[in-house]
């Protein structure tokens, strides 16, 4: 019976109901998109690190796992690492931030080919000139580039020598010495990718390196990819929390206003129910069920919208942002939305529950 | 020994405080209503009849005095106890019908049953009431699709669906034309005569009052005629 009343109440004001659901839907979308983006981009970083084909990565002292800083480590480190027992290849690369989260990698392409098996060229050919660049297929699609196109980066024009399959290093690749010159970092690199003769020797090599280079973060690729998570990126967890709190506040305010208006509008009806003997709990039950239904519908809408944001991102900015669908967060986002909505309905509900039936019945 | 009246009111007083001013709405009302009586309380505006109605219905606590409804002393009940009493023992019929606009007539009746923790299923008595009220074919319409007379009949059905000890009707014909007024009053009289429902009706209309067994008149917070 209550459910029928709840449904009829929601149907009675379709615009208000739709707006409340939309607001909660946006709240849920914000959460799912943010978490999906964080995970997607970190997974992308991890996937492209694995794509290099190395067994170990050595990073400069004091740097974070996915730092965008360019080149604080000497290139001499590459030779040092090559001389270590069991090491077959060592390739230094430099990562330089461009705009937003886009980076460019400088690498010795011949050495890189040896460690990784080389890029897979979808169009064009390898770099032969100092003003040539490789772009991956996502970047090419996002920026309408083909082999032979010109792209303006780092204050100069580059000719796209080839379009390569994404999944290795950054989406833009140029020779290491060119990037070092352009960024005034001669002889500097961001990390060294190391390959050993047998995967079974990886722990032994890491142990030896850690003894010799005590301040350097040294990871096996398994360790590196497992460490690339929301918790290990400085500030990301706090950022996500702040956005989620903002989303909750938006949902809370919308439901608060919606329910406050509904309670004012239904003053007389609440009076009728109370005259019939409805307890304050009964009145609260009605309002909370309405709120829960709004939150449920908003959550479903938010999940659908999160597919929409993913589609938009993958259609318009596949090279800049990567969003994954996060089904394990559907319940969490729904629970957060429900909690915020119930909180928003609490004061209007309390007002309704303590309404004097005689005054309510006299309300015009 | 005669049967105990279903309503017994002794020295009932109600004082409202409006800012710094005390308003004496009831100034020592005494009233006995035997079970099965159709009683009309008449009086001009401000005479205290609505306050009496609200106190008898458990909507308002008295300031002092004794109010016994079917043996329960309302003056000693807490808010939640008065709420429980309204569920089981009192049915209301209002001038403005006061149906829930979003529910059908059937659901308006069913919700009173639901609030009382009962189901409408398999209640032959209620089918009989619906036939008596003549609304069996209008149950699936919302109030906005019903005439005033039909709405008031639905409100009467809702008021008696839980077999209340007393039915309180506050100007039940105030928003109806003469034809519908007569129909509603006839229904109330039928409920009283055929089902033995105790009815207390408030009005200032002598025609309406003529349907009752007894009329008590109120003035300035006191019963001045027809009281016990």
């Amino acid at each position: 019976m209550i459910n029928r009343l709840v449904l009829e109440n929601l149907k009675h004001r379709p615009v208000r109901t739709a707006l409340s659901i939309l607001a909660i839907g946006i709240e849920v979308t914000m959460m799912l998109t943010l978490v999906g983006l964080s995970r997607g981009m970190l997974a992308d970083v991890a996937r492209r690190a694995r794509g290099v084909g190395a067994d170990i990565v050595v990073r400069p002292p004091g740097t974070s796992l996915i730092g965008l800083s360019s080149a604080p480590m000497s290139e001499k480190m590459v030779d040092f690492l090559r001389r270590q027992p069991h090491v077959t290849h060592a390739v230094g690369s430099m990562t330089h931030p461009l705009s937003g989260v886009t980076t460019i990698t400088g690498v010795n392409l011949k050495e890189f080919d040896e460690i990784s098996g080389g890029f897979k060229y979808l169009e064009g050919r390898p770099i032969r000139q100092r003003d040539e660049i490789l772009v991956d297929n996502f970047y090419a699609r996002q920026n309408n580039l083909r082999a032979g196109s010109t792209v303006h980066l780092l204050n100069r024009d580059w000719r796209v020598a080839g379009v390569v399959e994404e999944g290795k290093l950054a989406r833009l690749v140029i020779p290491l010495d060119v990037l070092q010159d352009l960024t005034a970092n001669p002889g500097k690199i961001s990390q060294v990718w190391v390959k050993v003769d047998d995967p079974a020797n990886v722990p032994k090599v890491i142990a030896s390196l850690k003894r010799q280079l005590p301040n350097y973060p040294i990871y096996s690729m398994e360790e590196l990819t497992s460490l690339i998570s929301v918790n290990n990126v400085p500030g990301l967890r706090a950022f996500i929390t702040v956005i989620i709190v903002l989303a909750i506040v938006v949902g809370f305010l919308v439901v608060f206003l919606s329910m406050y208006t509904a309670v004012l509008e239904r003053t007389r009806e609440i009076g009728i129910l109370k005259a019939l003997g409805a307890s304050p709990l009964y009145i609260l039950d009605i309002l909370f069920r309405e709120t829960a239904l709004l939150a449920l519908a908003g959550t479903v809408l938010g999940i659908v919208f999160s597919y929409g944001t993913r589609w938009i991102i993958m259609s318009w900015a596949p090279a800049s942002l990567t969003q994954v669908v996060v089904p394990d967060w559907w319940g969490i986002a729904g629970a957060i939305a429900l909690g915020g909505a119930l909180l928003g309905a609490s004061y209007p509900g309390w007002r309704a529950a303590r309404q004097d039936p005689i005054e309510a019945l006299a309300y015009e | 020994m005669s049967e105990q009246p279903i309503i017994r009111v002794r020295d009932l007083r109600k004082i409202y405080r409006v800012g710094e001013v005390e308003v004496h709405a009831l100034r020592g009302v005494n009233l006995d209503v035997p079970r099965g009586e159709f009683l009309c309380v008449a009086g001009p505006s401000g005479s205290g009849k609505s306050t009496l109605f609200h106190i008898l219905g458990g909507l308002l606590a008295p300031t002092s005095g004794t109010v016994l409804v079917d043996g329960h002393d309302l003056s000693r009940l807490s808010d939640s106890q008065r709420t429980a009493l309204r569920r089981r023992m009192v049915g209301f019929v209002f001038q403005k019908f006061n149906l829930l606009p979003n529910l059908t007539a059937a659901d308006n009746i069913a919700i009173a049953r639901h609030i009382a923790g009962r189901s409408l299923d398999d209640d032959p008595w209620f089918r009989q009431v619906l036939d008596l009220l003549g609304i069996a074919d209008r149950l699936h319409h919302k109030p906005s699709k019903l005439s005033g007379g039909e709405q008031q009949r639905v409100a009467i059905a809702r008021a008696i669906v839980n077999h209340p000890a007393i039915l309180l009707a506050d100007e039940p014909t105030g928003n109806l034309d003469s034809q519908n007024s007569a129909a509603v009053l006839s229904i109330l009289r039928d409920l009283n005569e055929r089902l033995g429902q105790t009815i207390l009706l408030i009005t200032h209309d002598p025609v309406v009052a003529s349907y009752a067994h007894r009329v008590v008149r109120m003035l300035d917070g006191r019963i001045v005629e027809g009281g016990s």
Side-chain angles (χ1 to χ4, degrees), chain B residues 2-81:
Chain B
S2 63
E3 194 185 0
Q4 189 80 359
I6 197 161
I7 297 174
R8 167 159 284 178
V9 177
R10 288 290 177 271
D11 195 25
L12 177 61
R13 292 171 192 275
K14 179 66 186 177
I15 301 169
Y16 293 110
R17 197 172 291 277
V18 183
E20 299 292 308
V21 181
E22 284 188 347
V23 177
H24 293 255
L26 296 177
R27 299 164 184 260
V29 171
N30 295 298
L31 179 68
D32 282 343
V33 181
R35 194 176 296 272
E37 184 173 34
F38 187 166
L39 175 76
C40 175
V41 179
S45 294
S47 61
K49 57 187 191 301
S50 287
T51 301
L52 178 63
F53 174 93
H54 290 145
I55 290 175
L56 290 175
L59 290 168
L60 191 64
T63 304
S64 66
T66 305
V67 183
L68 292 172
V69 175
D70 207 15
H72 296 83
D73 188 351
L74 271 58
S75 62
R76 295 174 186 274
L77 299 184
S78 64
D79 275 358
S80 61
Q81 286 170 324

Side-chain angles (χ1 to χ4, degrees), chain A residues 1-2 4-5 8-12 266 268-280 282 286 356-358 361-362 364, chain B residues 16 54 57 59-60 83-84 86-87 90 92 94 96 98-104 107-108 110-112 114-116 142 158 162:
Chain A
M1 187 66 236
I2 292 187
R4 206 172 310 157
L5 179 60
E8 291 298 332
N9 283 343
L10 291 175
K11 276 162 58 183
H12 183 64
R266 289 192 217 136
R268 192 179 183 88
E269 292 159 45
I270 291 163
I272 295 168
L273 289 169
K274 295 198 101 174
L276 293 175
S279 65
Y282 193 94
I286 293 170
D356 181 77
I358 297 173
L361 286 169
E364 296 292 342
Chain B
Y16 293 110
H54 290 145
L59 290 168
L60 191 64
T83 299
R86 290 200 295 273
R87 255 176 249 153
V90 185
F92 291 101
F94 300 97
K96 291 179 180 170
N98 280 342
L99 298 177
L100 295 171
N102 299 338
L103 294 183
T104 61
D107 286 341
N108 262 286
I111 200 162
H114 184 262
I115 288 170
K142 288 192 175 175
R158 180 182 66 184
N162 289 321

Side-chain angles (χ1 to χ4, degrees), chain A residues 183-197:
Chain A
T183 58
N185 281 306
K188 297 286 186 182
I189 51 175
S190 309
Q191 62 265 310
V192 185
W193 308 95
V194 177
K195 194 168 181 66
V196 298
D197 52 4

